[in-house]
Amino acid sequence: MVILGVDPGYAIVGYGVIQAQDGRFLPLEHGAITTPAGMEFGQRLETIYQDMLTVLRKWGPQAMSLEKLYFQNNKTTAIGVAEARGVILLAAQQCGVPVFEYTPLQIKQAVTGYGKAQKRQVMEMTRKLLCLRQVPKPDDTADALAMAVCHGQACGSALRREFLRKNGCVGSMAGR
């Protein structure tokens, strides 16, 4: 199964594409979509959308994995991230890619085995699971790869496969 992990943002969108098979993960591509700070916000969203379509069309993933959106201190930043996330979800929808959302705790648990792992621990374990020489930069890229691995772990479980079989679906589309 080809899985696209995405760490949404409006300045940097990290992405990571992996092949998951029999509990093993092979990195196919990872990188970041970046938009400059001075760019008009609508143009930033358009750039993110177009570049995400390019990645989706290139790899044709069977699933997209995203972190569930949550608000912390800066609500203005969160709104911008939510808008960027919206164009990412639109691109996935138009390409027919089901979207799966995971909490930070679920991602940490899937990658490290410990739901309260520190960011560096998650990044290092992601590196090891994907047999990478170093942790990908920027951090958003490493986070996206961790999200892809999380889905690879989750969809590989017998419980998850049974749920999907019973419900006749490949996944739940985000936002539905």
Side-chain angles (χ1 to χ4, degrees):
M1 167 183 271
V2 175
I3 303 166
L4 170 61
V6 180
D7 183 21
Y10 54 85
I12 301 172
V13 176
Y15 69 89
V17 183
I18 66 168
Q19 173 78 42
Q21 188 172 3
D22 300 324
R24 307 190 87 143
F25 305 106
L26 174 68
L28 302 175
E29 179 181 343
H30 56 273
I33 299 167
T34 59
T35 62
M39 182 183 271
E40 192 268 328
F41 194 75
Q43 289 178 312
R44 290 175 110 169
L45 293 177
E46 182 179 12
T47 297
I48 293 165
Y49 172 75
Q50 292 296 336
D51 288 358
M52 187 54 58
L53 276 178
T54 299
V55 172
L56 286 160
R57 289 176 178 154
K58 177 179 179 181
W59 291 104
Q62 283 81 47
M64 177 187 283
S65 177
L66 287 171
E67 185 175 72
K68 283 190 179 178
L69 188 61
Y70 62 96
F71 292 94
Q72 284 187 328
N73 298 334
N74 191 338
K75 287 192 179 15
T76 303
T77 300
I79 290 169
V81 171
E83 290 173 348
R85 195 171 185 277
V87 299
I88 292 165
L89 292 172
L90 175 61
Q93 176 68 32
Q94 289 182 333
C95 291
V97 177
V99 176
F100 297 83
E101 297 178 273
Y102 298 95
T103 65
L105 185 127
Q106 289 171 313
I107 295 165
K108 291 173 184 180
Q109 180 71 37
V111 174
T112 69
Y114 179 58
K116 294 184 180 179
Q118 298 297 311
K119 184 175 182 75
R120 290 283 159 214
Q121 292 171 306
V122 175
M123 293 169 78
E124 179 59 21
M125 193 62 189
T126 300
R127 182 195 71 75
K128 287 181 179 181
L129 287 169
L130 295 174
C131 300
L132 298 170
R133 290 181 189 216
Q134 55 192 346
V135 173
K137 295 292 179 192
D139 289 356
D140 309 79
T141 301
D143 291 345
L145 285 167
M147 286 174 223
V149 168
C150 174
H151 183 70
Q153 299 280 29
C155 74
S157 74
L159 187 62
R160 181 69 169 177
R161 284 193 306 271
E162 181 62 15
F163 170 80
L164 295 175
R165 186 189 67 71
K166 280 185 178 179
N167 291 289
C169 62
V170 189
S172 61
M173 297 300 282
R176 284 193 177 175

